[in-house]
Amino acid sequence: MYLNRNILLSFVLAALCLGGCSTAQTGFLGMAPRGDRQDYIRARDLYNEGHYTKAIEELSEYIYKTKNVKRREARAYRLLGKSYEQLGNLSKALDIYLEALEFHPKNVPLLLAAASLYQRTELTNRSMDLYNQVLQEEPDNLEALSGQAANYTTLGFYSKARYYYDQFFALNPQAEPQYRARYANTFLSQSNYQEAFIHITMVLMQDNTSPDFWLVSAKAARGLKRYQKALEDIDAALLLAPQREDLLANKALWQNEAGQYKESSQTAREILKISPKNQLALFILAMDEFHLGDLKTARRHMLAVQAQNPETFIGRVAGKLLADNPL
């Protein structure tokens, strides 16, 4: 009986290898042959070296050279999609991910890649669907939790966003500070300045090298009516990014609100050195000049604001001020 089983096994192995094939040629139990694995590794190396067009050629050959769809590996599809992303062809990358998901509908890396790409292209609801699928497979997936939190923030559901962030932080207490900053920003968006300030202060204790973190802190401080602190924080942001127009614009506005018209005027002029047609900077400058009593120059700048684009909010305000107050 023992001999018969060995004979039977020999016949089975022979049947599997008809034509003289070997496991080195066909792979073992349906896995990709060794030569194919080497093709994938070569394509992966090209990607890592930044040769994305060549990687696409190699990966396309690797994926589509066989009619056996079971051999179309998820990792190769994902790398092909990422290659298209690197070249800025997002629509083709998405096509690749969606095709791959037809063969691998529960593959988490593919789901994450497609969800992230939907998020980047502002197709938020589709991104949410895919992140939900990931969380069904892996409830503790950090990328899906943070991605879903970002999606709810985009939709304006800040409490729901914090629900996902809370899970994220529970699993990853040493998370990078940008996640805590985003968490703080959800409070800021709801005018909960105290909580926003507490959390952004925690962020700045970890990392004080990001102008965006200082901007959140400045806005929270301003919401708490700590105006001097707000200006100090915006100055800290400007030390890191001295030519960022949004930072300068906030500073100029807050200086104007605080009655620091000369300082506000100077800040507005810094913006105009960078962007001579900046409509907001011209508007702030005109308001500063009006309060400083330079009515002729204020009118000239207010007319320039309106001339830029009378249909914007600032343009309409300028038009109303000019009509109501012939400077």
Side-chain angles (χ1 to χ4, degrees), residues 9-263:
L9 180 59
S10 298
F11 278 117
V12 171
L13 289 173
L16 287 171
C17 291
L18 279 173
C21 63
S22 68
T23 57
Q25 293 171 307
T26 63
F28 182 64
L29 297 181
M31 292 177 66
R34 184 169 55 204
D36 277 5
R37 289 199 300 275
Q38 291 171 344
D39 290 344
Y40 171 80
I41 290 168
R42 184 169 61 252
R44 184 193 63 195
D45 290 343
L46 286 167
Y47 176 90
N48 290 336
E49 293 165 4
H51 303 304
Y52 305 118
T53 301
K54 188 62 178 173
I56 287 170
E57 294 174 6
E58 295 282 341
L59 288 162
S60 297
E61 171 67 15
Y62 176 71
I63 292 170
Y64 297 114
K65 70 181 178 181
T66 174
K67 294 180 181 180
N68 181 3
V69 295
K70 292 181 181 179
R71 289 249 310 278
R72 295 185 179 179
E73 298 178 30
R75 64 177 183 170
Y77 270 116
R78 183 166 175 268
L79 194 59
L80 179 58
K82 287 199 166 293
S83 298
Y84 278 114
E85 283 193 64
Q86 292 288 351
L87 294 175
N89 193 340
L90 303 188
S91 110
K92 182 62 176 178
L94 187 57
D95 287 343
I96 294 295
Y97 295 142
L98 295 180
E99 178 184 324
L101 285 168
E102 291 180 13
F103 305 125
H104 309 280
K106 293 186 178 183
N107 183 275
V108 166
L110 283 173
L111 288 167
L112 289 171
S116 175
L117 192 48
Y118 273 135
Q119 190 175 69
R120 284 178 62 191
T121 53
E122 299 181 354
L123 295 169
T124 306
N125 288 327
R126 294 182 183 180
S127 175
M128 292 175 76
D129 289 341
L130 294 185
Y131 279 134
N132 278 333
Q133 289 183 47
V134 173
L135 292 170
Q136 288 173 7
E137 299 295 321
E138 297 180 6
D140 293 345
N141 188 287
L142 294 174
E143 186 177 342
L145 289 169
S146 62
Q148 205 67 305
N151 280 330
Y152 276 109
T153 298
T154 298
L155 295 175
F157 296 118
Y158 302 112
S159 296
K160 189 69 172 177
R162 288 195 293 273
Y163 166 80
Y164 283 98
Y165 278 130
D166 287 339
Q167 293 184 64
F168 176 83
F169 293 132
L171 293 164
N172 188 21
Q174 303 301 318
E176 293 296 312
Q178 67 262 26
Y179 296 105
R180 182 74 61 182
R182 292 171 193 167
Y183 187 76
N185 207 44
T186 65
F187 289 108
L188 189 65
S189 298
Q190 292 181 307
S191 301
N192 188 339
Y193 302 115
Q194 185 65 45
E195 286 296 323
F197 190 76
I198 288 170
H199 287 285
I200 199 61
T201 299
M202 293 169 59
V203 172
L204 288 168
M205 290 173 66
Q206 285 182 270
D207 180 3
N208 62 2
T209 63
S210 168
D212 292 317
F213 298 167
W214 285 108
L215 178 59
V216 173
S217 182
K219 288 181 176 180
R222 180 170 175 267
L224 293 170
K225 303 188 185 307
R226 297 176 60 184
Y227 300 116
Q228 189 56 39
K229 171 66 174 168
L231 286 171
E232 288 172 2
D233 285 354
I234 207 73
D235 279 338
L238 283 164
L239 282 173
L240 297 163
Q243 291 201 311
R244 261 187 54 176
E245 294 179 38
D246 62 322
L247 299 176
L248 289 165
N250 276 292
K251 182 178 180 179
L253 279 170
W254 298 349
Q255 287 171 324
N256 178 279
E257 289 174 356
Q260 300 173 11
Y261 303 120
K262 288 184 179 179
E263 294 84 351

